Amino acid sequence: MKAIGGTAGDLPGAPPAKAMRRAPAARRIVDALRSSEEQLWRWTARVAVVLPLAALVFAITVLAIKAYPAIIVNGWSFLTGSSWTYGSSYGATVHTHGVAHPMGSSFGAWPLILGTIQTSAVAVVIALPISIGAAFALTERLPRWVSQPLGFAVELLAGFPSVIIGLWGILTFGPFLARHVYPHIADHMPDVPVLRYFRNPVGHGEGLLTAGIVLALMIVPIITATTRDLFGQIPPLPKEGGEALGMTDWEVARRISLRWVRSGIIGATVLGLGRALGETIAVVMITGSILHVAPNIYSPMTTIAATILTQLDGALTDGTGFAVATLAELALVLAVISVAVNLVARFIVKRSGRLGGPVGRA
Amino acid sequence: MTPEEQPIKPSPPVEIASGPPSRALDPVLAALDPDRARPAHVMESKALKLSFGAKTILDDIEMRFTRGTITALIGPTGSGKSTFLRTLNRMNDKVVGFSHQGDVTLDNQSIWEPNQDLLTLRRRVGMLFQRPNPFPMSIGDNVVAGVKAHRIAKGKQLDVVAERRLREVGLWDAVKDRLGDSPFRLSGGQQQLLCLARALAVGPEVLLLDEPTSALDPISTEMVEGLVRELTPALTIIIVTHNLGQARRVSDGTMFFYDGKLIEHGTTSQMFDDPRCEQTQNYVTGRMG
């Protein structure tokens, strides 16, 4: 131990005094290196923040340019009409508002827009309670040696290829539902306004309800995994407070845990809804791809994403390019629906998040 | 326990935590006391042994809590006082590995008896925690959360309950114009008072306080302490505290825990001024902590 009163460099554990008195030139080089590193870091961050946004703007702009002729010709009736005819590719080409298109072509996307909203709505209505229940069981109810492998399985399912689920849905699941489940529902529904939609005929398992259920299976893992992480972040004290007040486990879950993470669950639901809206291949396989408004909940129908996929081949044969432009317009509509869903979710979060729990505090 | 110490009998005058003298001595007040037909000791622990797995936390705790008094539980960290407190409303039951021997009674009925309803037990034995823990709902809903759960009141009555309890804890004037707001914007002290109002709203008989002021500033601490004193003798209060000054200021009786054992208990003045055990002497004078 050295005597008290030496220089700073002499203290035990401190760097040798020599390093503290480095030559000014070397110090300048080090400083320059550090500040250039800082510049590099700043620019990387700036580029990284702009790039995804730029890509999105670029994609939508290209889509809008491609769709422009179709928007002019189809007009507003594109959103409300129900006819879908390419016209005669052998007949004369006609010009409307200066845009060339085959004679007799007429496009109305209402059945597709409605079908997209219907399948996604069915999927979310089924998936949300299941996901919240599963997430709750994983965090609160099951022992660790069960919940950990189960949680891993759920995460695995979240990235499962949809073509496999679609194939299973059409070969096994759909026929099973049509034979053993749907008749029980359909036979007991009274002939009153809303429930009338659930009455016979139940079909063969290709249709709106099957598609909704299969989509629900696909988004349950997404919502469950996110919600499970949210539940894990709730501090224990508010829950203990509820228990100490004499609330049942169900009341603690409903009045405290769920409210604590309400805005997060809405976010998770929008993630799932995004997948349901855009899901293509499984929907193509299960919906039956019929271009009409479904007369009941079991009947075949189709969605925007599925139609773009199934019609693209045929559209490319249209020499005027008008059919492709129409599909681009359809894609634009889907993009607008997705953005609208996100905006609505944001609004709900803003309204309900006001009383939610602060994250990261007890 | 010897036979002459049966809990039904009125407590002898030297017993720790005996009730306020006015009630014990004045026959008129005693006759008016709504609790007169009930056991003088609202809660008792009999040969209580608590363990987590193979580890024994507390052993052989014999304690009686007289109705309408304040008892302070003091002792160094890890001495088992919080575990004891949390056993009294069965908050430990769900902890993995927790087991108990012996018994705890509420009005002479075991809290672990099969026909003792857990939800009712927790309504009768309320709790306030180390840190404020408001629920993620509006201030007004927070106060009546327990009332709603127990179906004690509904509709317009809830507003009345909320106002009364908020007035009781002195928070009404501060929050009356923002009952619909989030409680998380209140100060720490206000949040703790809100939690106290919430605990009081279900009408408990015993209130367990687990270091209720350890996260609060001195002024809020003083407010909570004042309230705690005002709540007796309508309520029986058991308070865990690391603050010896607080134990001395608010409590009638004191229990000193050390290393999983109840070393000594007695009236607060006796415990602080004339303790029987050397360990107690060392702890209350600050030589050990």
Side-chain angles (χ1 to χ4, degrees):
Chain A
M1 196 70 183
K2 293 204 171 114
I4 295 168
T7 59
D10 292 337
L11 285 173
K18 212 176 154 195
M20 312 273 287
R21 279 185 262 109
R22 207 202 305 259
R27 162 72 53 85
R28 271 206 301 278
I29 292 172
V30 169
D31 285 353
L33 274 175
R34 287 181 63 200
S35 75
S36 63
E37 204 178 59
E38 172 71 10
Q39 286 299 313
L40 187 69
W41 158 242
R42 282 188 188 179
W43 277 105
T44 312
R46 272 173 210 167
V47 170
V49 98
V50 169
L51 216 53
L53 194 69
L56 187 70
V57 169
F58 182 71
I60 291 194
T61 312
V62 168
L63 210 55
I65 292 169
K66 283 271 179 203
Y68 181 70
I71 294 171
I72 293 179
V73 175
N74 292 329
W76 286 111
S77 68
F78 185 70
L79 298 179
T80 53
S82 309
S83 70
W84 194 272
T85 342
Y86 288 103
S88 166
S89 42
Y90 305 106
T93 299
V94 292
H95 290 261
T96 313
H97 304 297
V99 179
H101 62 95
M103 180 124 92
S105 69
S106 145
F107 297 100
W110 173 240
L112 309 175
I113 295 169
L114 186 67
T116 304
I117 294 168
Q118 280 174 324
T119 47
S120 300
V122 170
V124 166
V125 165
I126 295 173
L128 195 57
I130 293 177
S131 304
I132 291 174
F136 185 70
L138 283 174
T139 42
E140 309 262 326
R141 280 268 162 262
L142 297 172
R144 216 177 147 69
W145 63 271
V146 180
S147 69
Q148 225 160 23
L150 262 184
F152 179 69
V154 165
E155 275 164 25
L156 207 68
L157 270 177
F160 209 59
S162 54
V163 65
I164 299 175
I165 299 179
L167 200 60
W168 168 75
I170 193 61
L171 292 181
T172 315
F173 193 53
F176 169 81
L177 289 174
R179 219 168 294 138
H180 301 292
V181 180
Y182 294 165
H184 296 291
I185 307 173
D187 290 347
H188 296 98
M189 281 298 159
D191 194 6
V192 294
V194 177
L195 297 180
R196 187 176 296 147
Y197 204 59
F198 291 84
R199 282 164 69 87
N200 282 311
V202 296
H204 304 288
E206 284 177 296
L208 169 54
L209 187 54
T210 311
I213 293 172
V214 169
L215 282 177
L217 288 177
M218 292 169 65
I219 65 176
V220 157
I222 298 173
I223 306 181
T224 305
T226 317
T227 309
R228 183 198 54 181
D229 293 346
L230 288 169
F231 275 154
Q233 285 169 10
I234 304 173
L237 261 182
K239 290 190 279 186
E240 280 196 335
E243 283 170 34
L245 210 52
M247 289 183 175
T248 60
D249 282 357
W250 157 241
E251 283 161 349
V252 170
R254 184 168 60 103
R255 291 172 195 248
I256 299 169
S257 300
L258 263 185
R259 287 195 196 202
W260 198 277
V261 297
R262 190 163 38 185
S263 54
I265 289 178
I266 295 170
T269 310
V270 170
L271 269 183
L273 195 57
R275 177 155 190 199
L277 286 171
E279 177 51 45
T280 310
I281 203 72
V283 173
V284 169
M285 294 160 103
I286 302 163
T287 52
S289 295
I290 292 188
L291 259 161
H292 69 167
V293 174
N296 77 4
I297 199 160
Y298 313 102
S299 57
M301 33 71 71
T302 191
T303 69
I304 295 178
T307 304
I308 294 173
L309 178 71
T310 53
Q311 306 280 312
L312 185 61
D313 241 10
L316 286 170
T317 61
D318 179 357
T320 60
F322 186 73
V324 174
T326 302
L327 291 187
E329 187 180 3
L330 209 49
L332 208 57
V333 172
L334 184 58
V336 169
I337 292 176
S338 298
V339 171
V341 163
N342 270 286
L343 289 179
V344 169
R346 240 168 197 285
F347 177 71
I348 297 173
V349 167
K350 218 173 174 174
R351 275 194 46 184
S352 74
R354 199 170 57 86
L355 293 175
V359 173
R361 268 185 58 191
Chain B
M1 188 193 307
T2 52
E4 66 267 22
E5 281 180 356
Q6 281 307 310
I8 311 283
K9 286 193 163 186
S11 50
V14 288
E15 168 117 54
I16 90 137
S18 61
S22 59
R23 210 173 99 195
L25 299 178
D26 189 330
V28 178
L29 278 181
L32 287 172
D33 184 358
D35 292 328
R36 65 188 180 280
R38 309 173 80 174
H41 301 113
V42 59
M43 289 197 96
E44 276 187 69
S45 73
K46 296 168 183 167
L48 185 66
K49 177 181 175 180
L50 307 174
S51 21
F52 290 119
K55 193 174 174 236
T56 302
I57 303 293
L58 281 174
D59 205 355
D60 198 29
I61 306 292
E62 287 281 346
M63 186 62 205
R64 290 185 282 173
F65 297 100
T66 307
R67 199 178 295 280
T69 61
I70 305 176
T71 309
L73 274 49
I74 59 171
T77 305
S79 58
K81 53 194 190 315
S82 275
T83 306
F84 177 67
L85 189 82
R86 291 168 65 89
T87 303
L88 297 179
N89 66 345
R90 292 178 57 183
M91 287 298 279
N92 283 333
D93 282 18
K94 254 171 68 173
V95 179
V96 180
F98 173 78
S99 65
H100 68 91
Q101 286 166 18
D103 206 359
V104 173
T105 62
L106 174 65
D107 278 352
N108 284 341
Q109 195 194 9
S110 168
I111 61 171
W112 285 292
E113 211 168 77
N115 63 359
Q116 174 75 264
D117 180 44
L118 180 61
L119 304 181
T120 307
L121 171 74
R122 287 180 176 162
R123 187 184 65 69
R124 295 176 63 187
V125 183
M127 191 163 196
L128 193 63
F129 291 79
Q130 280 184 23
R131 273 171 298 161
N133 55 350
F135 298 153
M137 48 183 86
S138 72
I139 293 172
D141 285 344
N142 255 283
V143 181
V144 297
V147 176
K148 267 190 198 164
H150 288 287
R151 316 284 193 278
I152 297 170
K154 58 181 182 179
K156 285 255 177 255
Q157 296 168 324
L158 290 173
D159 301 340
V160 179
V161 172
E163 178 176 347
R164 229 186 97 190
R165 297 304 177 178
L166 284 170
R167 279 191 192 283
E168 204 168 61
V169 299
L171 208 53
W172 176 251
D173 290 327
V175 303
K176 66 182 173 196
D177 298 323
R178 43 180 180 148
L179 288 175
D181 282 6
S182 166
F184 297 105
R185 279 187 221 123
L186 299 175
S187 73
Q190 286 175 322
Q191 289 188 23
Q192 191 67 314
L193 289 175
L194 179 65
C195 294
L196 181 60
R198 185 177 73 193
L200 290 174
V202 294
E205 296 158 45
V206 179
L207 196 59
L208 310 175
L209 311 178
D210 188 0
E211 297 178 43
T213 59
S214 63
L216 303 187
D217 60 278
I219 293 171
S220 307
T221 301
E222 200 175 310
M223 275 193 77
V224 171
E225 282 180 14
L227 275 166
V228 165
R229 276 195 300 267
E230 277 171 29
L231 289 172
T232 53
L235 244 68
T236 310
I237 289 173
I238 304 167
I239 175 171
V240 165
T241 180
H242 274 128
N243 181 339
L244 292 174
Q246 183 172 64
R248 195 163 191 162
R249 283 192 297 272
V250 302
S251 67
D252 304 308
T254 298
M255 298 168 77
F256 173 59
F257 289 80
Y258 184 71
D259 200 20
K261 282 188 282 292
L262 175 57
I263 301 292
E264 187 177 351
H265 63 81
T267 62
T268 299
S269 55
Q270 179 248 313
M271 287 284 285
F272 277 87
D273 299 332
D274 184 22
R276 283 191 292 268
C277 295
E278 201 188 331
Q279 279 163 316
T280 318
Q281 171 84 31
N282 285 344
Y283 187 75
V284 298
T285 52
R287 279 202 288 273
M288 172 183 79

